Amino acid sequence: MKVMTIGRGTIGGRLARLRQEAGHDVEELGRGGDDASDADAVLVAVPRAQISAALGEVGGLEGKVAIDATNSFPSRHGKFGFYA
């Protein structure tokens, strides 16, 4: 399986390495973006406040399986916080 990982930080980088060790073809994207047309799945591991900007730099996302690793939790007031 070919997995495109958007985000090279602690979460995205570690999940990419684990998938590579499991035998998957993994490509990691940073801030520059790229094309995900050849990917079977896309892992999104960026801060919640940066999701739109990060996905805006990636083409070929239509019809892809998305794995959300952003970990956006509601605040104590019940609203979702935006992390910088």
Side-chain angles (χ1 to χ4, degrees), residues 35-49:
D35 183 37
S37 296
D38 293 336
D40 298 307
V42 176
L43 169 74
V44 182
V46 297
R48 180 162 169 52

Side-chain angles (χ1 to χ4, degrees), residues 8-62:
R8 294 181 177 164
T10 303
I11 295 170
R14 178 67 177 142
L15 290 173
R17 282 187 295 281
L18 288 171
R19 282 181 170 68
Q20 287 172 331
E21 291 169 6
H24 298 287
D25 181 11
V26 178
E27 183 175 348
E28 296 179 73
L29 297 183
R31 297 182 190 273
D34 204 344
D35 183 37
S37 296
D38 293 336
D40 298 307
V42 176
L43 169 74
V44 182
V46 297
R48 180 162 169 52
Q50 296 175 14
I51 294 172
S52 293
L55 293 178
E57 297 295 325
V58 180
L61 293 172
E62 298 80 19

